[in-house]
């Protein structure tokens, strides 16, 4: 395979490590929220964190990474973490989903980690946002990682790139064949999205059979109207904060966009935008066009997390 789509400009500071080769586990984020709420400096004292959280040192470092990239808390520069509004609203004592039992929370976590334009995770930016083929094997993706890493001026080892790719895959798909350790067999929260699915096997260049993965691209009614509106405006804030208009193509297919992150067809994105616009008093109006639809932002109007969680889960 060759790379049909180039990465965005090298000004983006990509992250290739920090997860210590561990995908996020189901119990980690609620546990981390409670620990930070009790002691904002907990993750800067690894020995204490190991005792309080009941996990090893490498897992403490991994959890500190996931707390940041999934939008639960951010380092404040003073060897402390500051819990985010998202973290409080979702995981707090009166939060909407303190134990990650609501599918909407999982899609929002996926959005947080996949739509980053600052300190973006390379594997997510490339595989979710720009991978130009309908499917991939591990060796195909790893070869692409090597090429793109070199183009970006990095000198990452194959081991670093392979670990980063494996963490991405294991975030969305867990191998339960028994060939991996007990800790690796524990599902992470985003596995339940069924976003990455195995579709068969084929031989790689080395002659070994490999699993073929593809993204689930069908309609996803569990991504509700309010959630989609919330993510469109969040994306708008990140990429074009001073622009009053945004074209359909950007929302549907640009890296880090809702269409790409949620793996939705352009027709699905268009239909969602039309429904939101027709509902009135929403964050944007959408004007269809035979050439290119256009979104116009409505200043001061945007859905809150409460709006998302109060909406019927299966209302598209």
């Amino acid at each position: 395979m060759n790379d049909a789509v180039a990465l965005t400009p090298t000004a983006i500071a990509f992250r290739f490590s920090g997860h210590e080769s561990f995908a996020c586990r189901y119990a980690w984020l609620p546990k981390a929220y409670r620990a930070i709420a009790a002691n904002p400096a907990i993750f800067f004292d690894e020995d204490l964190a190991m005792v309080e959280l009941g996990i090893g040192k490498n897992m403490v470092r991994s959890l500190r990474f996931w707390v940041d990239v999934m939008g639960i808390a951010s380092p404040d520069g003073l060897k402390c973490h500051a819990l985010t509004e998202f973290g409080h609203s979702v995981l707090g004592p009166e939060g909407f989903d303190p134990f990650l039992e609501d599918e909407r929370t999982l899609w929002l976590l996926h959005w947080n980690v996949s739509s980053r334009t600052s300190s973006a995770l390379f594997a997510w930016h490339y595989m979710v946002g720009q991978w130009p083929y309908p499917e991939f094997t591990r060796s195909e993706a790893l070869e692409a990682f090597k090429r793109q890493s070199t183009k970006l001026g990095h000198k990452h080892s194959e081991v670093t790139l392979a670990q980063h790719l494996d963490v991405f895959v294991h975030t969305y798909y867990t191998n339960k064949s028994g060939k991996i350790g007990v800790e690796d067999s524990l599902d992470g929260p985003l596995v339940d999205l069924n976003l990455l699915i195995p579709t068969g096997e084929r031989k790689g260049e080395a002659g070994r059979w490999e699993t073929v993965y593809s993204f689930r691209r069908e309609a996803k009614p569990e991504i509700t109207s309010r959630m989609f509106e919330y993510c469109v405006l969040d994306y708008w804030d990140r990429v074009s904060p001073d622009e009053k208009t945004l074209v359909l193509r950007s929302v549907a297919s640009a890296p880090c966009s809702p269409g790409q992150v949620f793996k939705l067809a352009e027709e699905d994105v268009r239909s969602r935008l039309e429904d939101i616009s027709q509902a009135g008093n929403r964050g944007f109006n959408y004007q269809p066009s035979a050439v290119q639809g256009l979104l116009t932002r409505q200043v001061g109007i945007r859905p809150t997390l409460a709006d998302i969680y109060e909406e019927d889960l299966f209302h598209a």
Side-chain angles (χ1 to χ4, degrees), residues 11-296:
I12 294 179
F14 289 110
R15 298 170 73 173
F16 291 80
S17 60
H19 40 64
E20 301 293 322
S21 79
F22 291 107
C24 188
R25 305 291 187 256
Y26 233 114
W28 280 10
L29 296 181
K31 186 183 294 187
Y33 173 88
R34 294 191 294 271
I36 294 171
N39 178 5
I42 184 74
F43 280 102
F44 294 90
D45 184 339
E46 291 182 345
D47 291 335
L48 177 61
M50 289 168 61
V51 173
E52 293 294 325
L53 297 169
I55 56 179
K57 183 172 290 187
N58 287 346
M59 289 187 185
V60 166
R61 294 171 179 172
S62 179
L63 181 47
R64 181 168 63 195
F65 169 89
W66 290 114
V67 161
D68 179 17
V69 301
M70 288 195 170
I72 307 303
S74 300
D76 66 2
L78 300 173
K79 292 190 175 181
C80 287
H81 273 95
L83 291 163
T84 63
E85 179 184 355
F86 176 84
H88 280 305
S89 297
V90 176
L91 298 177
E94 303 299 323
F96 297 113
D97 188 22
F99 300 106
L100 304 184
E101 298 172 318
D102 192 316
E103 191 171 7
R104 287 168 291 200
T105 304
L106 307 185
W107 281 113
L108 288 169
L109 291 171
H110 168 67
W111 171 257
N112 287 346
V113 70
S114 302
S115 64
R116 295 174 64 91
T117 53
S118 175
S119 297
L121 274 63
F122 174 82
W124 273 256
H125 189 91
Y126 187 49
M127 297 305 297
V128 176
Q130 294 192 312
W131 183 254
Y133 308 103
E135 56 191 23
F136 68 91
T137 65
R138 182 180 185 273
S139 63
E140 290 164 353
L142 183 56
E143 286 303 311
F145 275 30
K146 294 177 188 177
R147 291 192 295 270
Q148 295 297 343
S149 175
T150 300
K151 287 180 182 179
L152 290 167
H154 298 298
K155 296 181 179 179
H156 295 297
S157 69
E158 181 170 335
V159 171
T160 295
L161 296 175
Q163 288 178 340
H164 191 47
L165 173 60
D166 289 342
V167 167
F168 169 77
V169 172
H170 293 156
T171 296
Y172 297 96
Y173 176 73
T174 298
N175 180 356
K176 297 183 179 179
S177 66
K179 298 179 181 180
I180 53 180
V182 174
E183 178 62 30
D184 284 336
S185 71
L186 300 176
D187 285 354
L190 303 191
V191 169
D192 286 350
L193 297 178
N194 294 313
L195 186 65
L196 189 65
I197 53 178
T199 56
E201 292 185 331
R202 63 168 167 253
K203 280 187 178 180
E205 291 184 1
R208 293 191 300 268
W209 287 94
E210 295 184 84
T211 300
V212 178
Y213 300 99
S214 63
F215 291 103
R216 179 168 65 90
R217 295 182 177 273
E218 68 224 33
K220 301 175 178 70
E222 65 272 22
I223 300 172
T224 62
S225 176
R226 282 296 195 182
M227 185 192 302
F228 193 75
E229 178 188 0
Y230 175 95
C231 293
V232 168
L233 294 171
D234 186 36
Y235 168 71
W236 205 325
D237 287 342
R238 298 181 197 209
V239 301
S240 302
D242 299 321
E243 298 295 328
K244 296 181 179 179
T245 59
L246 203 63
V247 295
L248 168 64
R249 185 178 298 113
S250 179
V251 177
S253 59
C256 306
S257 68
Q260 280 289 79
V261 168
F262 294 135
K263 296 302 175 187
L264 301 173
E266 183 172 319
E267 182 55 39
D268 189 343
V269 172
R270 182 185 295 110
S271 176
R272 287 170 176 270
L273 296 176
E274 290 175 350
D275 289 346
I276 291 169
S277 183
Q278 291 171 5
N281 198 33
R282 304 292 281 267
F284 53 81
N285 289 324
Y286 175 69
Q287 183 62 47
S289 167
V291 178
Q292 179 64 280
L294 189 69
L295 288 75
T296 303

